[in-house]
Amino acid sequence: MKGTGGDERVIVLNGLVSQTIHVPARSSLAVWGVFTAGKAERATLEVILDGEDSEVSVVGAILGRADDHFPFDVTIEHRATGTRSRVALRSVLEGKSFGDTVGRIHISQSALRADAFFSHHALLFGQGSRAHALPILEIEQSDVKAGHAVTVGRIEDEILHYCATRGVPQAQAAQLIAEGFLATDAALLPAGLAREEFCEQVRRGWAKSQVL
């Protein structure tokens, strides 16, 4: 968060639920959630940057197991000058779980000098888990910065077996890899309580999901 000198809010998402949030001028918003329970219907988080120099950071961690399905969309609407958004989602999936995310960034003609970025990185354990991430950029203004990044990687059993031969049990190795991966984007949250709570929820989520 760059800090605009205005209000700064932090919102914690308790589960995959649909909601719309407006961010007024010269205000900063941080939204974060750690998701361990799948659902059938799609959920959409929509953030509308209404005022000049408003900004949002969205940080999400998904831990999937068994046959859980995580249909989650994030939409960021840039409608004013100098707006900024960062969306950083990460998934750790095992069993037959499926992460299904759409990230949509819309920059209107009135959003001069908007700066937006969407990313979703997924880490798969085993052969049955899947991840789908679709970034969509809709840009009506030329004086902007916008980009996206999507990666999907699989942790093979050989890596965990190698860790075991070096004295690190498979479960502990998986925990270290997953927690480090999921907490990578915590720096996008305000320093202090919000960042600490996110990392703690990642650790608790790992224990709850019982991945591997």
Side-chain angles (χ1 to χ4, degrees):
M1 306 285 283
K2 66 183 179 183
T4 58
D7 295 334
E8 181 173 271
R9 291 188 295 157
V10 177
I11 294 177
V12 182
L13 300 178
N14 295 313
L16 295 177
V17 294
S18 293
Q19 59 181 299
T20 299
I21 305 169
H22 291 261
V23 186
R26 290 170 291 282
S27 296
S28 297
L29 172 66
V31 182
W32 67 266
V34 177
F35 311 113
T36 59
K39 60 183 300 183
E41 65 276 11
R42 297 197 75 84
T44 299
L45 170 66
E46 181 181 35
V47 180
I48 301 174
L49 299 169
D50 290 307
E52 292 187 1
D53 297 320
S54 58
E55 65 172 7
V56 64
S57 293
V58 179
V59 180
I62 296 172
L63 290 89
R65 62 185 296 269
D67 57 356
D68 283 341
H69 182 200
F70 295 87
F72 185 44
D73 300 343
V74 179
T75 295
I76 309 294
E77 291 278 353
H78 289 256
R79 296 182 179 176
T81 298
T83 51
R84 182 176 184 269
S85 68
R86 292 292 183 270
V87 178
L89 307 179
R90 287 180 180 260
S91 302
V92 171
L93 305 167
E94 64 93 36
K96 295 183 179 179
S97 59
F98 178 33
D100 181 12
T101 303
V102 176
R104 175 179 171 267
I105 295 174
H106 177 241
I107 301 177
S108 69
Q109 190 172 11
S110 58
L112 285 162
R113 299 187 299 281
D115 185 348
F117 197 85
F118 168 85
S119 67
H120 185 182
H121 302 292
L123 188 62
L124 310 180
F125 285 86
Q127 299 301 315
S129 54
R130 296 177 297 138
H132 172 262
L134 176 63
I136 300 173
L137 302 181
E138 300 173 346
I139 302 173
E140 301 175 4
Q141 168 61 247
S142 59
D143 186 11
V144 301
K145 295 179 181 179
H148 61 80
V150 173
T151 62
V152 178
R154 191 175 299 277
I155 292 295
E156 302 296 341
D157 291 340
E158 288 78 4
I159 294 176
L160 299 177
H161 292 326
Y162 175 83
C163 292
T165 64
R166 295 298 185 268
V168 181
Q170 178 173 312
Q172 182 181 355
Q175 177 180 354
L176 292 172
I177 293 170
E179 288 184 2
F181 176 78
L182 291 170
T184 300
D185 298 312
L188 291 175
L189 298 173
L193 185 59
R195 198 176 297 180
E196 294 170 4
E197 287 183 349
F198 174 76
C199 293
E200 178 60 25
Q201 286 295 321
V202 166
R203 287 190 287 270
R204 292 181 182 179
W206 174 268
K208 180 179 179 181
S209 67
Q210 296 179 343
V211 177
L212 291 183

